[in-house]
Amino acid sequence: MKDSYLSVQNNHEGFVVDENNQRYNFTIVDFKSNKWELYQEPIDWDYIIKNKCICWFWDNKGDEKQIGALVGINDNRFYLEAPEDCFNSYTYCRAVRRDEVTFYEDKKDD
């Protein structure tokens, strides 16, 4: 059915729901089925660059990640702002999730 979909809910349980917000038991048989497709909203890279969003950068090995601001994309490479007007490029980039960082408010001296 064209208007049917499943989505992963952003909560601590990480369950899957259908278009009627009913929980769905996702099995390996469902995963292997060719009756559905993966879909992800396109990423607005211009927004991320303009607003200097914090991002993770990495190459083929995900264990050596760098964190910083995305300054550009060229030839499928993501460019990280680096000190001394130096730019490092990486194969992969994604914005840091809200649950991965803690922001601290400035505290005035008493």
Side-chain angles (χ1 to χ4, degrees):
M1 183 186 308
K2 187 169 177 95
D3 293 330
S4 298
Y5 64 87
L6 300 174
S7 67
V8 177
Q9 299 299 303
N10 288 331
N11 61 32
H12 297 292
E13 296 176 37
F15 56 84
V16 175
V17 297
D18 67 12
E19 68 277 4
N20 298 315
N21 209 29
Q22 297 294 313
R23 286 189 188 204
Y24 183 82
N25 292 325
F26 199 68
T27 67
I28 193 67
V29 174
D30 296 320
F31 184 73
K32 291 180 177 181
S33 171
N34 62 358
K35 296 179 181 177
W36 62 281
E37 64 182 311
L38 293 174
Y39 175 79
Q40 179 178 340
E41 292 287 332
I43 298 170
D44 187 351
W45 293 112
D46 290 333
Y47 176 88
I48 291 173
I49 293 168
K50 179 180 175 186
N51 291 286
K52 297 186 184 263
C53 297
I54 301 169
C55 294
W56 285 113
F57 298 85
W58 70 98
D59 283 319
N60 294 330
K61 294 182 181 181
D63 57 345
E64 297 181 18
K65 291 183 181 176
Q66 298 293 323
I67 194 165
L70 177 66
V71 294
I73 304 170
N74 192 9
D75 294 328
N76 294 325
R77 300 287 294 175
F78 296 92
Y79 289 85
L80 163 69
E81 187 174 40
E84 301 175 11
D85 296 327
C86 224
F87 293 98
N88 294 319
S89 71
Y90 295 88
T91 306
Y92 304 102
C93 174
R94 74 165 174 83
V96 171
R97 294 186 315 261
R98 184 175 292 158
D99 66 343
E100 293 179 307
V101 295
T102 302
F103 292 97
Y104 296 94
E105 296 292 327
D106 288 337
K107 185 176 178 182
K108 294 185 179 186
D109 295 330
D110 292 329

